[in-house]
Amino acid sequence: MRIGILTSGGDCPGINATIRGVCKTAINHYGMEVIGIHSGFQGLLTKDVELFTEKSLSGLLNQGGTMLGTSREKPFKKSVASDVNKPELIGQNVKELGLDCVVCIGGNGTQKTASKLAAMGINIVSVPKTIDNDIWGTDFSFGFDSAVSIATDAIDRLHSTASSHKRVMVIEVMGHKAGWIALYSGMAGGGDVILIPEIPYNIHNIGETILNRLKKGKPYSIVVVAEGIQTNGRKRAAEYIAQEIEYETGIESRETVLGYIQRGGSPTPFDRNLSTRMGGHATELIATGQFGRMITLKGDEISSAPLEEIAGKLKLVTEDNDLVVQGRRMGISFG
Ligand code: F6P
């Protein structure tokens, strides 16, 4: 069999480990030929590809980013710029490249595109990828643990400067419309206030939490905010929350936006092994002719689910999440 592999959407640690897992299993275990497709779905439109050999795959496990490059190309999105029928061109190029299947590694946008390509009759297997951990149907996606690890380290570093200056330090983490990174890194990093899009906040409650800490002899606080929280139209959540807290409490407040650092560097061991497992199982689906499916992690089991059940859905934090419940019981404010 000859398979193609592409990476699409935001980059993150673990993509290269997944490419390695798919390709080494395909080549060594199943005797497949593997074609690397550059720059996500753009590479399928332009047939920008390379034949993978064992050599192409060496040194990938601990490398951040994606050696194939990525893009946010959405071939089903109507564009006035060009009247090319992109889905049709992709179908034609898949045939001309002689691909028996295309492995798509990506987040929600990628899963949506993959589902539509599968519905057109192209053999697709997809692997969930995002630091946001907001992909429906899988407990975790690789990239998330690495982003949480980076964010937690950053939060740890804020405690000393907050206590030295008796300030409120507000840190903004990524996550798009979900609060998973803020919740996991906020709890791991000892946040006193954690704001996520899924739980509405009230600035007076936040001020009360911070002033209560002051009364108990803790004249500083750590506030972790997800980028997707409501901010009255202000662009940066951290800037808005820091200003509101300083106004509400009179305590000096400063903000940090962690940004793209959360998507850089080497994957954690957890993400490396999750990537390896998901990549290997993706190749197993191909070898057994199970197409139109996304690889999933349920508990410690790797499984898969139909793409049409995944596409277009978001997995968000719920109030009964155990970290939220335990945090509240310890006096951590969720706004
Ligand atoms: O989906 C991953 C992510 O990093 C989000 O957390 C963030 O909101 C978005 O990508 C940023 O998109 P871009 O890389 O296009 O700036």
Side-chain angles (χ1 to χ4, degrees), residues 257-279:
V257 177
L258 202 49
Y260 294 85
I261 291 171
Q262 297 159 94
R263 297 208 332 222
S266 184
T268 58
F270 176 84
D271 273 346
R272 294 180 197 190
N273 289 332
L274 181 57
S275 295
T276 295
R277 293 178 66 197
M278 286 192 156

Side-chain angles (χ1 to χ4, degrees), residues 21-331:
V22 170
C23 301
K24 290 191 97 160
T25 310
I27 294 167
N28 292 336
H29 189 65
Y30 291 109
M32 296 175 181
E33 201 177 47
V34 184
I35 303 292
I37 300 164
H38 297 141
S39 309
F41 294 106
Q42 220 172 304
L44 269 184
L45 290 167
T46 58
K47 291 205 278 185
D48 179 3
V49 300
E50 64 176 288
L51 176 65
F52 273 159
T53 62
E54 275 280 340
K55 192 169 175 304
S56 354
L57 301 168
S58 63
L60 284 180
L61 183 57
N62 62 350
Q63 293 301 307
T66 162
M67 51 91 81
L68 282 171
T70 184
S71 71
R72 290 194 184 276
E73 170 63 48
K74 292 180 172 48
F76 290 90
K77 196 170 173 193
K78 294 275 173 283
S79 148
V80 289
S82 121
D83 54 5
V84 171
N85 181 328
K86 290 183 176 179
E88 200 175 86
L89 179 55
I90 285 177
Q92 194 183 309
N93 287 347
V94 166
K95 274 203 193 80
E96 285 174 13
L97 289 165
L99 300 179
D100 298 300
C101 176
V102 181
V103 177
C104 300
I105 300 171
N108 283 304
T110 305
Q111 303 306 330
K112 249 190 237 167
T113 300
S115 178
K116 288 177 180 169
L117 290 174
M120 279 171 54
I122 297 173
N123 290 338
I124 299 282
V125 166
S126 77
V127 183
K129 169 274 318 165
T130 177
I131 65 167
D132 306 333
N133 197 41
D134 60 356
I135 298 175
W136 185 265
T138 182
D139 290 353
F140 292 103
S141 53
F142 70 81
F144 175 64
D145 185 61
S146 297
V148 169
S149 173
I150 293 162
T152 302
D153 179 63
I155 295 166
D156 284 350
R157 292 171 186 279
L158 289 177
H159 286 262
S160 54
T161 182
S163 60
S164 303
H165 286 263
K166 301 183 181 54
R167 278 173 170 165
V168 176
M169 299 307 284
V170 181
I171 182 167
E172 178 183 319
V173 296
M174 284 185 158
H176 201 211
K177 295 186 179 126
W180 293 105
I181 299 176
L183 175 61
Y184 271 68
S185 62
M187 289 298 288
D192 303 301
V193 178
I194 300 171
L195 304 181
I196 61 177
E198 298 92 333
I199 300 178
Y201 67 89
N202 175 316
I203 206 71
H204 305 304
N205 296 345
I206 298 168
E208 199 179 324
T209 299
I210 291 168
L211 290 172
N212 283 341
R213 285 178 48 82
L214 180 60
K215 283 182 201 134
K216 292 176 190 165
K218 295 181 223 173
Y220 68 93
S221 292
I222 303 292
V223 178
V224 182
V225 304
E227 65 177 343
I229 62 167
Q230 285 302 323
T231 60
N232 288 355
R234 287 284 187 95
K235 177 138 173 64
R236 296 273 44 150
E239 175 197 358
Y240 173 70
I241 293 297
Q243 285 177 358
E244 289 296 297
I245 287 174
E246 185 159 316
Y247 180 74
E248 186 76 14
T249 64
I251 299 172
E252 257 193 344
S253 305
R254 293 289 184 274
E255 73 270 5
T256 300
V257 177
L258 202 49
Y260 294 85
I261 291 171
Q262 297 159 94
R263 297 208 332 222
S266 184
T268 58
F270 176 84
D271 273 346
R272 294 180 197 190
N273 289 332
L274 181 57
S275 295
T276 295
R277 293 178 66 197
M278 286 192 156
H281 282 270
T283 315
E284 192 179 323
L285 284 186
I286 298 167
T288 53
Q290 300 176 69
F291 301 116
R293 300 184 72 84
M294 182 187 85
I295 295 291
T296 61
L297 173 70
K298 291 287 186 180
D300 189 41
E301 290 303 308
I302 300 284
S303 182
S304 69
L307 272 166
E308 69 263 12
E309 280 177 21
I310 306 279
K313 292 180 186 167
L314 270 187
K315 184 186 70 187
L316 299 174
V317 179
T318 52
E319 292 259 7
D320 62 353
N321 179 287
D322 197 42
L323 276 175
V324 175
V325 173
Q326 300 313 318
R328 283 203 161 116
R329 289 180 184 171
M330 295 158 62

